[in-house]
Amino acid sequence: MEMREGYKQTEVGVIPDDWSSRTLGEICEKIQDGNYGGDYPKSHEFLNHGVSFLTSKAIGKDGELKEHLIDFISEQKHSELKKAHIELNDVLFTNRGASVGAIGFVDTRIADGNIGPQLTLMRVSQEYVAPAYLFQTMKSFVVQKQIKSQDSGSAMNFFGISATKKFILPLPSTITEQTAIANALSDADALIQSFTRLITKKRQIKQGAMQTLLNPYENGSLKTGWVVKKLGDVTDIDPENLGGGVNPNYQFKYISLEDVDRGVLRTYSEQVFETAPSRARRVVKKGDVLIGTVRPNLQSHCLIVDDIKDLICSTGFAVVRCRDDIADPQYIFPLFFARDRKSTR
């Protein structure tokens, strides 16, 4: 493909001619993890207030700081842990565990604190690199792709200082441009967070409404006109499945657990039976309710509202099909999201 004028190809992709690609080792004046050896503070040394002590649990996947998960240590312990004191505008990198690659930023709430061994601090020379730009770039797909390519997926996987120094970043030539980019991305982050809080609030309101409307009991007694039935009395579970006699060339649309997210069918893939995943077995029709029975943290439940021909889902779902004139799928589906309801007396 022909390169656009004013751009060049680098290790991190196509960037403007006046940008450069630099490793973290080249742009940071300090890269240090919180491995204190035998001096690492024990749980009984944590206090209700004092000097901030951060571990990976306090860094959210989108870079937000989870203040309620920050630990605190005494001034004396802080003075003993000289190796990895964090300063204002340091960037933090989760170097191991399930949240490897999460990036944090040191603001006034945690400046002059300490980090634990799961975190690495990165401190740039602010004469050449804007710290906010480093923070945003470390969160970007450019660096996260490098992290994922080296992450074995093992809980024991660890990015030491030498490995961290090798990450490559695209770098605008001026602090002014770096700052402008960082500010634009920060504004976008703030907008996303505001929408996330609004969505969370709406979900909580809906959850409260469901707990009230779908609860068959009031003041300990069954509401007038209500009856309580087992799911199997009003629906059929997994009524149709692909058997061994299916044509190997049968083409269908496949729903995996990852394709469903909290009530929404995000996508599906085109498959041929002969090469399809072995879990592709359950026949799905309009009005079916899919309930994820494995990896419950995904909340892979949804109601199929469209008439999609040749739709098949994973055996990781239970297909709940309402019996005609007995149960309405539009009513049955939200029951699976209504927590804290009395189902028995």
Side-chain angles (χ1 to χ4, degrees), residues 8 10-13 15-23 26-27 128-129 133 168-174 177-178:
K8 61 185 177 183
T10 69
E11 304 97 317
V12 291
I15 61 176
D17 279 336
D18 62 337
W19 288 29
S20 61
S21 57
R22 292 285 184 267
T23 65
E26 292 174 321
I27 66 173
Y128 303 104
V129 181
Y133 176 80
I168 306 173
L169 288 71
L171 190 67
S173 56
T174 67
E177 185 174 6
Q178 294 173 27

Side-chain angles (χ1 to χ4, degrees), residues 310-331:
D310 297 316
L311 192 60
I312 307 295
C313 75
S314 166
T315 53
F317 292 102
V319 177
V320 180
R321 185 169 297 168
C322 293
R323 296 175 186 169
D324 293 341
D325 302 323
I326 298 178
D328 187 333
Q330 296 279 1
Y331 175 80

